[in-house]
Amino acid sequence: MNEPIYETVVTTVNAAGTVHVAPMGVRYRGEHVVLMPFKPSTTLDNIVATRHAVLNLITDTRVFAGCVTGRKQWPTRPAERIAGVRLDNALGHVELALHEHADEAQRPVLTMARVHEATHAPFIGMNRAQAAVVEGAVLVSRLHMLSADKIDGEMAYLQIAIDKTASAAEHEAWGWLREAVAAHRARLPPSR
Amino acid sequence: MNEPIYETVVTTVNAAGTVHVAPMGVRYRGEHVVLMPFKPSTTLDNIVATRHAVLNLITDTRVFAGCVTGRKQWPTRPAERIAGVRLDNALGHVELALHEHADEAQRPVLTMARVHEATHAPFIGMNRAQAAVVEGAVLVSRLHMLSADKIDGEMAYLQIAIDKTASAAEHEAWGWLREAVAAHRARLPPSR
């Protein structure tokens, strides 16, 4: 049985203070948060440089869909105890310090200690359209590896939850994902 | 564009104090929470009798999978300001009072006012397996309307997120759903 993975957004800054926003599946081990970014990774470079990161717990899936479709700037505000930022739309955030860095050729393991955490807004329930956007974002990040049939089949399946349960945020996010699928399709040679 | 729907669990009690736990998709309208139970509904009967309900915001999807597979008893504790209970495993809950009851033949509209709300645990991130369990629970609640091919196809698709991201809770919930599919299959005549 694998460890559970939670979909979050990690915000880091580089030495010059430039913000980087990256959706990331994270694991919790005891009190630690474990990040395993795929190299090359700006998040990895920033954490190695600054020793800090912020874990953002969000349900505004525009960030997930946006980051895989070229929309990488999101409103932030300063972290409280570390040099860094958290997302404006986070339900909560955890400020992290690098505890252990196990380097690996492909996926280093960054074990992060909790410095500070805060809740900003209540969780208002699960939403099937939010989940569909997350699945769609995973799909869009893998377009080059998937057949048109598989993409169309999954998008059609996920569309059902969008139609039935989405808020304006998920409709917007879903539109970005559909555009990305169409743009990918348009780039393929016509024989495929 | 439809209104967004959030998957929650509504707990009610009848006049004798017997607890009823019901997963329910709810809508938020301004400060109100809107419930639209399908008749016949114990939740509806209890709210009409007591004028109160508790909205539970949870990510422990065993409750969703359990309630569609005959596991309807979940640990609760007393509500704070109304006669009622909230789920032990709620990340947060909202205590509700009936504000308006628009009766309808099939789906009455219960507009509920907020009496009290509290947060009990932080939201730790979206989880693809939790979403898969919710989709699987929807599927299991509709087994009698769906073809074996559609059920098998969806379960196989959802299994991917379970295998990759589930915690022990989702593995348990997913097992209940798979058992329910198998039990349904076993009841069908062999020719189908």
Side-chain angles (χ1 to χ4, degrees):
Chain A
M1 204 178 286
N2 293 318
E3 283 173 284
I5 300 176
Y6 295 88
E7 306 305 323
T8 70
V9 176
V10 175
T11 41
T12 53
V13 293
N14 66 12
T18 304
V19 170
H20 184 69
V21 176
M24 197 169 290
V26 307
R27 295 165 176 81
Y28 297 103
R29 286 189 193 146
E31 283 304 295
H32 291 125
V33 179
V34 179
L35 311 181
M36 295 175 64
F38 285 96
K39 288 184 183 177
S41 159
T42 303
T43 297
L44 172 65
D45 296 344
N46 288 353
I47 292 174
V48 168
T50 68
R51 319 276 302 173
H52 290 96
V54 175
L55 183 73
N56 297 272
L57 293 325
I58 71 165
T59 54
D60 183 342
T61 55
R62 289 178 296 189
V63 182
F64 295 102
C67 286
V68 297
T69 59
R71 295 162 178 89
K72 299 185 179 186
Q73 305 296 318
W74 294 93
T76 60
R77 54 185 72 185
E80 292 171 46
R81 306 267 180 90
I82 64 170
V85 300
R86 61 112 168 155
L87 293 177
D88 254 1
N89 57 3
L91 299 189
H93 82 277
V94 188
E95 301 179 11
L96 301 168
L98 183 60
H99 172 73
E100 196 178 310
H101 176 189
D103 201 12
E104 299 285 344
Q106 200 167 31
R107 280 192 93 176
V109 180
L110 302 168
T111 303
M112 310 292 293
R114 293 163 189 263
V115 175
H116 175 66
E117 48 203 291
T119 297
H120 309 293
F123 175 67
I124 64 169
M126 297 182 68
N127 177 264
R128 295 171 65 197
Q130 287 172 359
V133 171
V134 168
E135 293 300 324
V138 171
L139 195 69
V140 163
S141 72
R142 295 174 186 166
L143 285 179
H144 58 289
M145 295 159 30
L146 302 172
S147 73
D149 275 0
K150 181 169 167 62
I151 294 165
D152 289 346
E154 290 200 20
M155 291 292 284
Y157 174 72
L158 297 170
Q159 180 80 49
I160 299 167
I162 299 291
D163 291 342
K164 286 187 180 170
T165 70
S167 76
E170 286 81 46
H171 281 292
E172 186 172 15
W174 188 249
W176 298 339
L177 296 174
R178 285 174 54 100
E179 283 169 18
V181 170
H184 169 76
R185 200 65 52 85
R187 284 191 302 270
L188 292 179
S191 61
R192 285 180 68 173
Chain B
M1 200 179 286
N2 293 317
E3 284 174 285
I5 299 175
Y6 295 88
E7 307 305 324
T8 70
V9 177
V10 175
T11 41
T12 53
V13 293
N14 65 13
T18 304
V19 170
H20 184 69
V21 176
M24 198 168 290
V26 307
R27 295 164 175 82
Y28 297 104
R29 287 190 193 147
E31 283 303 295
H32 292 126
V33 179
V34 178
L35 311 181
M36 295 175 64
F38 286 95
K39 288 185 183 177
S41 158
T42 303
T43 297
L44 171 65
D45 296 345
N46 287 353
I47 292 174
V48 168
T50 67
R51 320 274 305 173
H52 290 94
V54 174
L55 183 72
N56 297 272
L57 292 326
I58 71 165
T59 55
D60 183 341
T61 55
R62 288 178 296 187
V63 182
F64 295 103
C67 286
V68 297
T69 59
R71 296 163 178 87
K72 299 184 178 187
Q73 305 296 319
W74 294 93
T76 59
R77 54 185 71 185
E80 292 171 46
R81 306 267 179 90
I82 64 170
V85 299
R86 62 112 168 156
L87 292 177
D88 253 2
N89 58 3
L91 299 189
H93 82 278
V94 188
E95 300 179 11
L96 301 169
L98 182 60
H99 172 72
E100 195 178 309
H101 176 189
D103 201 13
E104 299 285 343
Q106 200 166 31
R107 280 192 92 176
V109 181
L110 301 167
T111 303
M112 311 292 293
R114 293 164 189 264
V115 174
H116 175 66
E117 49 202 291
T119 297
H120 309 294
F123 176 68
I124 65 169
M126 297 182 67
N127 175 264
R128 296 171 64 198
Q130 287 172 359
V133 171
V134 168
E135 293 300 324
V138 171
L139 195 69
V140 163
S141 71
R142 295 175 185 166
L143 285 179
H144 58 289
M145 296 159 28
L146 302 172
S147 72
D149 275 0
K150 181 169 168 62
I151 293 165
D152 289 345
E154 289 200 20
M155 291 293 284
Y157 174 73
L158 298 170
Q159 181 81 47
I160 299 167
I162 298 292
D163 290 343
K164 287 187 178 168
T165 71
S167 77
E170 286 81 47
H171 281 293
E172 185 172 17
W174 188 249
W176 297 340
L177 296 174
R178 286 174 53 99
E179 283 168 18
V181 170
H184 169 76
R185 201 64 52 84
R187 283 191 301 269
L188 293 180
S191 60
R192 288 180 65 174

